[in-house]
Amino acid sequence: MLPTVINNGAYTAHPFIAADDSYLIWDSERDDGYGGKDLYISFKQADGSWSTSFNLGNTINTAATETGAYVSPDGKYLFFNRTPGKVSNEGDIFWVDAQVVESFRPYPSQPQTSAEGADSNEGGKVLHQGPYK
């Protein structure tokens, strides 16, 4: 079982683990969220444990529900679903530059202990909505 830095909130689901096992992205309904469900990320540390979880911020998460994140096999794009209301079949697929992941990665020289700055637009704005071409 994953630790409570990942497994907490009213609903935690749809995990995506990076091909190199360095990070995990999932959706969860938590008190620090922007809407129904938000996307979160945690990084595997040198000792094998998972870092503090970070909300992917308001460039990804909205008052709607964001779920089902995954990174394309070439590592260029982060895809996710956004559902504006409570009806789950009304969602659309969005994608952003996967560099948003790097904006949250805690580096050994400057360990990040909170999600400070997570609300900035530096992580990558939504590039596309709808069918991936």
Side-chain angles (χ1 to χ4, degrees), residues 6-14 26-40 55 61 64-67 86:
I6 295 169
N7 274 329
N8 70 52
Y11 180 84
T12 301
H14 310 115
W26 69 98
D27 49 88
S28 190
E29 187 176 335
R30 296 183 178 184
D31 292 338
D32 68 346
Y34 291 91
K37 293 178 188 70
D38 285 356
L39 298 176
Y40 291 83
N55 182 302
N61 295 311
T65 295
E66 286 77 27
T67 61
K86 299 212 181 254

Side-chain angles (χ1 to χ4, degrees), residues 1-116:
M1 180 180 334
L2 291 167
T4 56
V5 295
I6 295 169
N7 274 329
N8 70 52
Y11 180 84
T12 301
H14 310 115
F16 170 83
I17 187 128
D20 65 359
D21 295 334
S22 66
Y23 62 87
L24 179 70
I25 301 174
W26 69 98
D27 49 88
S28 190
E29 187 176 335
R30 296 183 178 184
D31 292 338
D32 68 346
Y34 291 91
K37 293 178 188 70
D38 285 356
L39 298 176
Y40 291 83
I41 190 167
S42 180
F43 296 88
K44 189 170 274 189
Q45 301 179 98
D47 66 1
S49 65
W50 290 98
S51 74
T52 300
S53 61
F54 302 100
N55 182 302
L56 288 184
N58 66 1
T59 56
I60 303 289
N61 295 311
T62 67
T65 295
E66 286 77 27
T67 61
Y70 64 95
V71 175
S72 60
D74 61 9
K76 291 182 178 181
Y77 303 104
L78 169 68
F79 292 88
F80 60 95
N81 178 271
R82 178 174 291 150
T83 304
K86 299 212 181 254
V87 180
S88 63
N89 63 356
E90 293 180 2
D92 288 310
I93 296 171
F94 289 78
W95 70 96
V96 298
D97 188 315
Q99 285 299 307
V100 68
V101 169
E102 296 307 316
S103 71
F104 290 93
R105 188 182 297 275
Y107 292 95
S109 60
Q110 296 178 329
Q112 191 171 359
T113 57
S114 73
E116 258 182 64

